[in-house]
Amino acid sequence: MNELPIIDRSVFPFDARGVAKRFRHAAIFGALESLEEGETMRFVNDHDPLPLLGQIQQRYGSQIKINYVAREPGNIVIDFTVQLNAQEPVPAEPAPRSAGGCGGGGGGCGCAGT
């Protein structure tokens, strides 16, 4: 019998909605840096964190694979997977400069988008 595992021990949930805005990016970077090769952080948020994605790409390059699982208003789920031996850069959408931070300044995470 070929059954799917109920729990994938290489995927770790991270719900950003429960983290205070001023600590979110530091907490996310800390969580990413605690992952090992092949492990995934499943990030959940209420807005699309485009500035954060730009920061992750700039900081880690192709070592963190970014994959949207869900991308709907109010429900964003992104898998960040560690791939230390990746050869090609992973394309990510550029962060909008006029937004002022994640969520466009309207209740987002409050980052500066830099």
Side-chain angles (χ1 to χ4, degrees), residues 25 46 58 72:
H25 286 210
D46 58 1
Q58 182 178 23
E72 313 163 342

Side-chain angles (χ1 to χ4, degrees), residues 48-60:
D48 205 349
L50 296 178
L52 173 66
L53 297 182
Q55 291 172 355
I56 289 171
Q57 186 176 28
Q58 182 178 23
R59 189 170 186 164
Y60 303 107

